[in-house]
Amino acid sequence: MSDASPTVPAYAGPRRILSGIQASGALHLGNYLGALKRFTALQDQAPTFVFVADMHAITVWQDPALLTAQTREIAAAYLASGLDPKKTVIFPQSAVRAHADLAWVFNCVARLGWLDRMTQFKEKSGKHKERASVGLYTYPVLQAADILLYKATEVPVGEDQKQHLELTRDIAGKFNNDFGVPGYFPLPEPVIQGPGTRVMSLRDGSAKMSKSDPSDQSRINLTDDADTIAAKIRKSKTDMGVMPQVGESLDDRPEIRNLIAIYAALSEQTKDQVTAQFAGQGFGAFKPALADLAVEALAPVTAEMRRLMADPSEIDRVLKDGAERAAEVADPVVAEVKKIVGFWQA
């Protein structure tokens, strides 16, 4: 008798891509390079679902009127960055009720120990986790529902979200095993690539560029005009040295490493190519070149965002149509999950 364990059937469904951005705070260069630009590149590869994560946003208190405005702003950024609503399903998370339905089932599949290991909750809740919302603690489970609801096989994520995607894989595997439906949910793979995946603060190269940073000088907002972008790059933190040589360690020069990574991502070059281009030069040469590059890349995005936000009817049409198309995929999955779990059905 063989001791080999039986092979578990793998997911055999179609390739699908899914991701989203939380509807809180202004979008910035890090969102553009780490997410928006990548979404646009992926939409021709497979059916793509991109949502505005407004349900995730309320894990901390949000002003209701501002949340609505930010949902539209993120949708405008999606469109302005090149997402085509004919190719990509663009929708607000809360407009598809199947997200909440599947999240509850997954809350009962996920284990407490798994959530206790999530480092982002520890970082966001700080020393007063007792005051944090239950939603902030369990939102990785909702994130798993977001992904598996569409049976997404690939998820563009930043390095800081890899742990949550691993949780998604654990939940999918446990559901498939617990209910005897091997291969029902896929085990999605992260899509992490390129030099701009993790863009750091312009004031502190050891901290991620963030819309929650109190200093507006720490980030380049997608709504900044050309003069503001140039000024922020000109004032960005550097050191007393010059641009490094190729192969030189930048472990003790995080701000320089970050600016090189931004230039590389915007110019679609490698970091070594950028380093070779500016090696030994002062920042008086590099920063203006980076500013020109950033303005050239972002100015069309900013202009289109402002056009869309001035008359949000076009955004609302895209979101409504996207929500309907998303529900067409999501609702049958939830209906089938309810049947698998054993919920009563008329």
Side-chain angles (χ1 to χ4, degrees):
M1 181 181 292
S2 172
D3 292 332
S5 57
T7 302
V8 177
Y11 176 72
R15 180 186 178 195
R16 283 183 184 150
I17 300 167
L18 177 137
S19 199
I21 294 177
Q22 188 165 299
S24 58
L27 294 181
H28 52 69
L29 178 65
N31 299 126
Y32 177 72
L33 293 176
L36 300 171
K37 194 176 178 185
R38 300 180 193 285
F39 297 166
T40 302
L42 290 168
Q43 68 180 344
D44 290 320
Q45 297 184 21
T48 303
F49 296 78
V50 177
F51 63 96
V52 181
D54 51 352
M55 292 172 70
H56 287 295
I58 65 167
T59 55
V60 295
W61 193 87
Q62 301 289 331
D63 178 277
L66 188 57
L67 179 61
T68 302
Q70 288 174 335
T71 298
R72 289 193 177 110
E73 181 177 329
I74 290 173
Y78 288 158
L79 297 171
S81 298
L83 283 179
D84 182 348
K86 294 179 181 176
K87 298 177 181 178
T88 299
V89 181
I90 301 171
F91 63 100
Q93 180 189 27
S94 64
V96 182
R97 65 182 182 183
H99 286 257
D101 286 353
L102 188 58
W104 177 251
V105 174
F106 285 171
N107 270 325
C108 300
V109 172
R111 303 291 93 176
L112 198 61
W114 299 355
L115 292 179
D116 283 341
R117 290 193 291 270
M118 297 293 107
T119 57
Q120 275 215 349
F121 174 75
K122 297 172 186 176
E123 293 169 1
K124 291 184 177 182
S125 61
K127 298 178 181 178
H128 306 289
K129 70 176 184 179
E130 296 84 2
R131 300 179 188 174
S133 73
V134 174
L136 186 64
Y137 182 74
T138 63
Y139 97 89
V141 179
L142 174 59
Q143 194 171 57
D146 299 332
I147 296 166
L148 297 174
L149 190 55
Y150 302 93
K151 297 193 175 182
T153 54
E154 296 162 56
V155 183
V157 294
E159 290 285 349
D160 57 334
Q161 291 292 326
K162 282 183 67 177
Q163 189 185 39
H164 290 173
L165 192 60
E166 290 165 3
L167 177 72
T168 298
R169 292 168 58 89
D170 288 340
I171 290 173
K174 192 171 191 309
F175 180 94
N176 293 350
N177 180 70
D178 286 356
F179 293 100
V181 284
Y184 180 75
F185 282 121
L187 306 184
E189 296 289 342
V191 180
I192 301 174
Q193 58 190 19
T197 300
R198 188 173 174 84
V199 178
M200 312 306 283
S201 164
L202 298 180
R203 308 303 299 164
D204 178 1
S206 64
K208 186 177 177 182
M209 186 176 285
S210 171
K211 45 195 173 184
S212 61
D213 192 312
S215 172
D216 192 59
Q217 295 298 314
S218 69
R219 60 186 170 270
I220 295 172
N221 302 305
L222 293 189
T223 52
D224 285 343
D225 60 28
D227 290 342
T228 303
I229 292 171
K232 286 181 176 180
I233 290 176
R234 188 169 62 248
K235 295 176 183 177
S236 62
K237 183 179 178 182
T238 49
D239 54 35
M240 300 302 291
V242 296
M243 290 293 290
Q245 301 292 329
V246 175
E248 181 179 330
S249 174
L250 294 177
D251 289 346
D252 59 346
R253 304 180 75 188
E255 287 79 23
I256 313 309
R257 182 175 59 213
N258 182 45
L259 294 180
I260 290 172
I262 291 172
Y263 194 107
L266 288 170
S267 62
E268 298 184 348
Q269 299 182 77
T270 67
K271 295 175 189 177
D272 281 350
Q273 287 173 322
V274 175
T275 303
Q277 182 180 345
F278 293 97
Q281 298 184 43
F283 297 113
F286 176 69
K287 282 186 175 181
L290 177 56
D292 288 346
L293 188 61
V295 168
E296 181 182 2
L298 295 179
V301 176
T302 300
E304 180 63 3
M305 281 183 67
R306 288 178 174 171
R307 183 192 73 80
L308 289 164
M309 290 161 61
D311 180 12
S313 58
E314 183 176 343
I315 300 173
D316 289 345
R317 282 195 300 271
V318 169
L319 291 176
K320 183 176 184 295
D321 177 68
E324 291 171 354
R325 290 162 61 198
E328 288 175 2
V329 175
D331 288 350
V333 172
V334 163
E336 193 168 15
V337 165
K338 288 180 176 180
K339 184 177 180 180
I340 291 169
V341 168
F343 288 165
W344 175 87
Q345 311 222 352

